[in-house]
Amino acid sequence: MAGFSFETLERENLGETVYARVAEALVKGRFAPDARLTIRDLAQSLGTSVTPVRDAILRLIQDEALVQKSAREVRVPIITLERYQEIRQIRLKLEGLAAREAALKATARDAERLSELITRNERAIAEKNWTEALELNQTLHFALADIADMVVLRGILNRLWLQMGPLIAESYHEGGRAMIDNHHAVLAAVEKQDADAAERAIIADITEGGNVILERLLSRRAAGAAKAS
């Protein structure tokens, strides 16, 4: 919880609102892998009682976005190499599909929105504002599913990003241009309504941007093996 707090909530629809706020924080990487979350701290930060927070935590555990270590300890999971590779393989297929459909369905206004996101992301990276850059990166990926008008796919991606958000955030600033260069290619493909090129560009984005994550996970595994030996 250190370094991040929520805006106080209104009292209407607290259960859904609390879930949405905590889920958004996970997707956007506001909590690091293995971060310990307490119901009391979350409730205090959100300005609500512990009940809706407890319910939200239970839902997020079911979503595999959090893990219950003990009766009083809930943590952001540490994703294993194998789990990351599986999730990335699924993302390649699903986000590739979203990019294809977005290219076929995008309006001029949709393309302008993507362009604005990329421009803002470039500025955030130049200013080393990694929190904003990370949020804009995630927003662009979800925007493709929204433009594609694929509600079911959007929901599946949200659950995957609940698990991936903290890991992406941990490595994002190390990725450099690999984290954004392919976004320009995605935009160009969408503007040309070239579904094949859009799919290739988002696959390249996920693959190349994920290399730094793979390196981190491999290093972590090697360090763990060395410690155990």
Side-chain angles (χ1 to χ4, degrees), residues 118 121 136-137 140-141 172 179-188 201-202 205:
I118 293 169
N121 200 354
L136 290 164
N137 173 72
L140 183 135
H141 280 262
Y172 188 84
M179 295 301 194
I180 194 171
D181 274 345
N182 287 295
H183 290 183
H184 294 280
V186 171
L187 174 60
I202 203 67
D205 179 60

Side-chain angles (χ1 to χ4, degrees), residues 4-10 13-28 30-31 42 45-47 53 56 59-60 162:
F4 176 71
S5 61
F6 293 96
E7 295 179 6
T8 302
L9 298 178
E10 299 296 330
N13 302 318
L14 278 179
E16 285 299 323
T17 305
V18 168
Y19 175 83
R21 288 286 187 85
V22 180
E24 180 184 35
L26 286 163
V27 167
K28 293 183 176 180
R30 299 289 183 83
F31 300 121
L42 287 170
S45 179
L46 290 161
V53 174
R59 286 179 62 184
L60 288 163
L162 278 172

Side-chain angles (χ1 to χ4, degrees), residues 15 35-36 59 73 78 104 106 116 119 124 140 148 160 182 190 195 223:
R36 183 173 182 265
R59 286 179 62 184
E73 185 176 6
I78 297 176
L104 297 173
E116 180 186 359
T119 299
L140 183 135
L160 293 177
N182 287 295
V190 168

Side-chain angles (χ1 to χ4, degrees), residues 17-212:
T17 305
V18 168
Y19 175 83
R21 288 286 187 85
V22 180
E24 180 184 35
L26 286 163
V27 167
K28 293 183 176 180
R30 299 289 183 83
F31 300 121
D34 204 36
R36 183 173 182 265
L37 306 184
T38 69
I39 292 173
R40 187 178 297 279
D41 286 346
L42 287 170
Q44 183 176 5
S45 179
L46 290 161
T48 185
S49 67
V50 298
T51 300
V53 174
R54 184 181 294 111
D55 292 343
I57 292 296
L58 289 174
R59 286 179 62 184
L60 288 163
I61 290 170
Q62 291 175 341
D63 288 337
E64 299 181 277
L66 296 174
V67 290
Q68 183 91 48
K69 292 290 188 179
S70 69
R72 295 185 178 182
E73 185 176 6
V74 175
R75 289 189 179 270
V76 177
I78 297 176
I79 301 297
T80 64
L81 174 63
E82 290 77 14
R83 190 172 186 85
Y84 169 71
Q85 290 174 318
E86 180 181 352
I87 292 174
R88 186 172 75 161
Q89 189 174 13
I90 295 169
R91 285 185 61 207
L92 291 173
K93 297 293 185 182
L94 295 185
E95 295 194 39
L97 175 60
R100 291 188 64 85
E101 291 298 312
L104 297 173
K105 296 177 182 177
T107 63
R109 188 170 182 176
D110 292 326
E112 287 175 7
R113 182 191 175 200
L114 294 177
S115 179
E116 180 186 359
L117 289 171
I118 293 169
T119 299
R120 290 171 59 199
N121 200 354
E122 286 280 13
R123 186 183 308 120
I125 289 174
E127 295 172 354
K128 300 188 186 311
N129 185 346
W130 302 117
T131 299
E132 183 176 356
L134 185 70
E135 289 189 14
L136 290 164
N137 173 72
Q138 176 267 322
T139 300
L140 183 135
H141 280 262
F142 279 26
L144 293 174
D146 292 337
I147 293 168
D149 195 25
M150 303 185 78
V151 179
V152 175
L153 186 147
R154 175 68 162 74
I156 296 170
L157 288 181
N158 189 71
R159 180 161 179 169
L160 293 177
W161 275 74
L162 278 172
Q163 300 176 54
M164 286 297 302
L167 184 58
I168 293 173
E170 185 181 46
S171 308
Y172 188 84
H173 66 284
E174 298 175 21
R177 297 299 310 173
M179 295 301 194
I180 194 171
D181 274 345
N182 287 295
H183 290 183
H184 294 280
V186 171
L187 174 60
V190 168
E191 290 175 331
K192 295 175 184 177
Q193 295 188 310
D194 187 335
D196 290 338
E199 182 179 18
R200 287 196 300 271
I202 203 67
I203 286 174
D205 179 60
I206 295 169
T207 302
E208 293 171 18
N211 286 338
V212 67

